[in-house]
Amino acid sequence: MPDNQLQIGKATLSLAMGDITRQEVDAIVNAANTTLMGGGGVDGAIHRAGGPAILQECKQIRETSGRCQTGCAVITGGGNLKARYVIHAVGPIWHGGNANEATLLAGVYSHSLKLAAEAKVSSVAFPSISTGAYGFPVVLASAIALTTVKEFLRTESTVNDVRFLLFDNQTYDAYVNALKKIDT
Ligand code: ADP
């Protein structure tokens, strides 16, 4: 088994370097913010690549349900992306570690996977939620992300291919190290 992959029953959890907007998967996850109105980083990239239909749907969700609280996620179509769906997930801002950040981060991964399973998709790509502008330390975030996904993949659902699309070497290396640790 390569160091960037883990088999959990019939499901695969894998790590790759790359741009999540180009992934050929059923759903990609966006590291959104509570406004759901787009932003910088991966959020900006997804809205740029996906076109205005995604923002339009986000606006409708805002009108009917208000802001998306930290730890929550909502699902829209994928607009011009190859992915059929975008799951907009609001990770926690890092405040030093005593503001429930770890639980909120685990919750946002669980919530996203629950939406993916409800949409009956098989493949999902995640970015490294909260470790960019939100400042969550990547060593801790990667351990939380992989543990949460691994636990989810042990349960029965349509989701059988979860990939992390990591944008820089340092983040990729942190996830590879975290995967080694949860494998043993
Ligand atoms: P957050 O606000 O949740 O920290 P950011 O978008 O600032 O979200 O960063 C999250 C991670 O996404 C960072 O590691 C950043 O480098 C990465 N990222 C930025 N653009 C892309 C992209 N197109 N594909 C995948 N990851 C990306």
Side-chain angles (χ1 to χ4, degrees):
M1 187 66 67
D3 69 354
N4 62 344
Q5 208 169 303
L6 187 64
Q7 196 71 32
I8 302 127
K10 287 178 191 146
T12 309
L13 167 54
S14 60
L15 313 175
M17 287 275 295
D19 180 351
I20 199 164
T21 66
R22 304 174 79 86
Q23 283 301 295
E24 296 194 26
V25 285
D26 299 323
I28 66 169
V29 178
N30 180 16
N33 58 60
T34 60
T35 72
L36 296 177
M37 291 297 104
V42 70
D43 196 2
I46 288 172
H47 281 285
R48 274 193 302 279
I54 299 176
L55 191 59
Q56 197 51 46
E57 252 191 276
C58 286
K59 281 184 179 155
Q60 279 164 12
I61 292 168
R62 270 295 298 269
E63 277 165 24
T64 52
S65 314
R67 283 180 182 243
C68 186
Q69 299 303 323
T70 301
C72 287
V74 299
I75 189 164
T76 67
N80 301 329
L81 297 169
K82 286 176 182 148
R84 198 146 41 101
Y85 299 105
V86 177
I87 295 168
H88 305 265
V90 184
I93 298 171
W94 181 255
H95 290 295
N98 293 317
N100 213 22
E101 293 96 328
T103 306
L104 287 166
L105 188 65
V108 84
Y109 280 101
S110 304
H111 201 140
S112 302
L113 290 163
K114 186 167 173 275
L115 290 178
E118 282 168 7
K120 299 206 175 342
V121 306
S122 61
S123 53
V124 182
F126 279 98
S128 178
I129 297 172
S130 285
T131 68
Y134 280 6
F136 204 119
V138 69
V139 172
L140 180 56
S142 54
I144 293 168
L146 296 176
T147 305
T148 307
V149 172
K150 183 184 159 191
E151 289 307 316
F152 178 87
L153 290 176
R154 284 200 172 131
T155 64
E156 195 61 42
S157 88
T158 55
V159 181
N160 61 17
D161 170 358
V162 175
R163 309 171 193 179
F164 280 83
L165 262 293
L166 306 162
F167 212 48
D168 60 81
N169 281 309
Q170 201 197 338
T171 305
Y172 180 78
D173 290 348
Y175 275 74
V176 169
N177 280 327
L179 191 66
K180 271 185 214 151
K181 287 182 188 149
I182 70 161
D183 202 9
T184 52

